[in-house]
């Protein structure tokens, strides 16, 4: 961290801040909380897992519909930080609401969760695009990977606090019910997210931008068409987005569905939380390792390595039966989860012209968000039809295979601003 600029550190610390949401709300405590609430309401395990998948799909669809136009408008001076701040505030408020909605109101809980997904996802559109503003192209792999590593490390602290509250309440050490302890963990998540976002809000500025125009919204729509035309004309960029759409869908789905999956397998909540904590710890050094190996062996090579590991994960998941199996699966995920996400972000950042980063990251977000619709739906539908969650997870293998095949056809990252096609 000492070798980073103030802007790089502040940008990296947002990964530290928002990863608390990723682990406690998306992956660990809230899914268990929701599953328990749904069970109390009389829903079958496979049905509540399906609803969880549908909720993630629908919330992602809503933010995806906004991403293109927001990306186009955000390239105008001053808009990127405004949009970032709005979605950040939305995510914080509704994460706090999860701490006060009664546990027997599982539908309201699911609705509030969906809005937090919109806030979290909307913020990340502009956070990712800020990568071009805080560092150089030569340092993008390193800074992007450090961001994910810091996220994994930072998330363990509120995660430990949340686990401690729940375990101590279970053992009667604290005069709290497990439900109240879980709600306290949601409040901790929101406070952690807010506190460590302050450096990002204070120090990171939009360096590359277009001057404002009289009607930024209408001009944003016009630019949206131009941007899409550029993506179609520039074959490496389009192919990468197409490959990314498929393989990141599988990655995101495994993240969002992992706890519900483990619960359906009969793994108790205590073991699930411990496994997820270990996953965060192991994932941090592997994210840094991916960044270093990408500088040595090229980014695309390491992305293909990550995709191959996820194909192994999907195959192994089909035969999963015991807690030990789930431990092995979790460690495999930890070895590649952060690396494949970090390198995808930096690979794409190298492809796009800096002054139009939000336009292109708007499309990046479209592919990222729409990619998070098919996977959860696929798992939920397959699990509901077969009555077997293992089959649902195994169905994701097709996404990684398609993504890997397309990625093989993508050239190494080049400077898109020098492309004669786009300069016309």
């Amino acid at each position: 961290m000492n070798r980073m600029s103030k802007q790089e550190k502040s940008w990296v610390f947002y990964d530290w801040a928002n990863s608390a949401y990723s682990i406690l709300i998306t992956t660990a405590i809230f899914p268990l909380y929701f599953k328990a609430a749904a069970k109390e309401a009389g829903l079958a395990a496979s049905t509540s897992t399906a609803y969880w998948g549908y909720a993630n799909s629908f919330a992602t669809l809503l933010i995806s519909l906004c991403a293109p136009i927001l990306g186009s408008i955000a390239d105008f001076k001053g808009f990127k930080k405004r949009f970032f701040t709005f979605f950040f505030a939305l995510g914080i408020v509704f994460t706090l609401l999860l701490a006060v909605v009664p546990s027997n109101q599982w539908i309201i809980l699911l609705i509030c969760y969906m809005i937090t997904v919109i806030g979290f996802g909307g913020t990340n559109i502009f956070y990712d695009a800020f990568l071009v503003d805080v560092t150089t192209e030569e340092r993008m792999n390193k800074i992007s990977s450090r961001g994910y590593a810091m996220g994994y490390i930072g998330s363990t602290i509120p995660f430990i606090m949340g686990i401690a509250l729940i375990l101590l309440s279970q053992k009667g050490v604290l005069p709290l019910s497990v439900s109240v302890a879980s709600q306290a963990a949601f409040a901790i998540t929101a406070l952690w997210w807010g506190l460590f976002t302050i450096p990002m809000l204070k120090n990171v500025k939009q360096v590359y931008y277009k001057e404002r125009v009289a009607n930024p919204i209408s001009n944003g729509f016009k630019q949206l068409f131009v941007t899409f035309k550029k993506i179609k004309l520039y074959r490496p960029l389009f192919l990468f987005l197409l490959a990314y759409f498929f393989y990141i869908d599988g990655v995101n789905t495994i993240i969002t569905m992992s706890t519900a999956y483990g619960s359906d397998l009969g793994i108790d909540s205590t073991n699930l939380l411990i496994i997820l904590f270990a996953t965060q710890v192991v994932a941090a050094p592997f994210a840094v390792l991916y960044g270093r190996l990408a500088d040595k062996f090229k980014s695309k090579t390491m992305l293909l390595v990550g995709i191959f590991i996820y194909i192994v994960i999907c195959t192994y998941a089909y035969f999963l039966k015991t807690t030990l199996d789930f431990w092995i699966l979790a460690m495999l995920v930890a070895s590649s989860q952060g690396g494949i996400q970090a390198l995808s972000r930096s690979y794409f950042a190298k492809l796009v012209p800096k002054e139009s980063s939000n336009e292109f990251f708007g499309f990046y977000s479209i592919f990222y968000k729409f990619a998070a619709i098919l996977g959860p739906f696929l798992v939920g539908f397959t699990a509901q039809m077969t009555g077997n969650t293992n089959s649902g997870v195994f169905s994701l293998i097709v996404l990684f295979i398609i993504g890997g095949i397309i990625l093989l056809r993508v050239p190494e990252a080049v400077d898109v601003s020098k492309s004669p096609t786009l300069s016309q």
Side-chain angles (χ1 to χ4, degrees), residues 15-26 151 154-155 158-159 188-189 192-193:
D15 253 317
W16 172 285
N18 75 356
S19 290
Y21 173 91
S22 296
I23 184 64
L24 274 81
I25 306 300
T26 303
S155 65
F159 188 36
I188 290 171
T189 301
W192 183 275
W193 188 2

Side-chain angles (χ1 to χ4, degrees), residues 250-300:
V251 173
N252 288 337
T253 303
I254 288 174
I255 293 171
T256 56
M257 304 294 289
S258 59
T259 305
Y261 175 44
S263 178
D264 287 355
L265 290 170
I267 300 173
D268 63 77
S269 59
T270 300
N271 272 319
L272 276 176
L273 292 176
I274 293 172
I275 292 170
L276 290 171
F277 170 74
T279 301
Q280 296 297 105
V281 173
V282 173
F286 273 99
V288 175
L289 179 63
Y290 261 77
R292 292 181 177 178
L293 292 176
D295 288 336
K296 184 176 181 179
F297 297 107
K298 297 184 179 180
S299 299
K300 191 174 82 170

Side-chain angles (χ1 to χ4, degrees), residues 1 25 41 85 88 108 162 218 240 243 248 276 295 304 317 363 366 371 405:
M1 291 290 288
I25 306 300
T85 304
F88 159 70
I108 297 177
S218 61
F240 173 75
I248 207 66
L276 290 171
D295 288 336
L304 290 169
F363 277 91
I366 292 176
I405 291 172

Side-chain angles (χ1 to χ4, degrees), residues 29-293:
I29 296 178
F30 184 74
L32 292 173
Y33 184 77
F34 168 73
K35 292 284 288 185
K39 183 178 181 180
E40 286 294 320
L43 273 69
S46 59
T47 301
S48 61
T49 297
Y51 279 129
W52 180 253
Y54 298 150
N56 278 285
S57 294
F58 184 68
T60 302
L61 174 62
L62 291 180
I63 188 59
S64 299
L65 295 176
C66 297
I69 184 60
L70 291 176
S72 296
I73 298 171
D75 272 326
F76 295 118
K77 185 177 181 179
F79 279 95
K80 185 188 288 191
K81 181 63 74 68
R82 290 183 183 181
F83 287 146
F84 174 88
T85 304
F86 170 77
F87 283 103
F88 159 70
L90 186 69
I92 288 285
V93 169
F94 278 88
T95 299
L96 282 172
L97 284 178
L98 293 177
V100 298
V101 174
S103 60
N104 60 354
Q105 301 293 325
W106 69 271
I107 296 178
I108 297 177
L109 283 171
L110 202 58
I111 292 171
C112 286
Y113 166 73
M114 290 165 64
I115 297 175
T116 70
V117 172
I118 293 171
F120 179 78
T123 307
N124 281 342
I125 295 172
F126 308 103
Y127 169 63
D128 288 343
F130 267 119
L131 179 60
V132 303
D133 297 297
V134 300
T135 192
T136 63
E137 183 173 318
E138 293 75 22
R139 290 174 60 82
M140 282 182 183
N141 282 342
K142 178 181 292 185
I143 299 303
S144 184
S145 298
R146 291 292 171 86
Y148 272 97
M150 286 294 290
Y152 287 125
I153 296 170
S155 65
T156 60
I157 300 172
F159 188 36
I160 289 172
M161 295 169 67
I163 290 176
L165 284 172
I166 293 171
L167 294 181
L168 291 176
S169 65
Q170 285 178 335
K171 295 181 181 298
V173 177
L174 291 177
L176 301 173
S177 66
V178 174
S179 178
V180 172
S182 298
Q183 291 173 327
F186 305 152
I188 290 171
T189 301
L191 293 174
W192 183 275
W193 188 2
L195 177 64
F196 290 105
T197 302
I198 293 174
M200 176 80 180
L201 295 173
K202 182 180 178 181
N203 300 320
V204 175
K205 308 297 181 183
Q206 185 176 3
V207 176
Y208 300 98
Y209 54 81
K210 299 174 183 177
E211 292 297 333
R212 294 189 186 185
V213 293
N215 299 300
I217 295 179
S218 61
N219 274 276
F221 276 104
K222 292 177 182 177
Q223 189 59 48
L224 185 61
F225 174 76
V226 174
T227 303
F228 183 68
K229 187 177 180 180
K230 288 180 181 179
I231 291 176
K232 287 172 59 178
L233 290 173
Y234 191 62
R235 188 169 177 271
L237 182 59
F238 181 74
L239 281 176
F240 173 75
L241 285 175
L242 193 59
Y244 179 74
F245 172 84
F246 286 102
Y247 74 72
I248 207 66
D249 189 355
V251 173
N252 288 337
T253 303
I254 288 174
I255 293 171
T256 56
M257 304 294 289
S258 59
T259 305
Y261 175 44
S263 178
D264 287 355
L265 290 170
I267 300 173
D268 63 77
S269 59
T270 300
N271 272 319
L272 276 176
L273 292 176
I274 293 172
I275 292 170
L276 290 171
F277 170 74
T279 301
Q280 296 297 105
V281 173
V282 173
F286 273 99
V288 175
L289 179 63
Y290 261 77
R292 292 181 177 178
L293 292 176

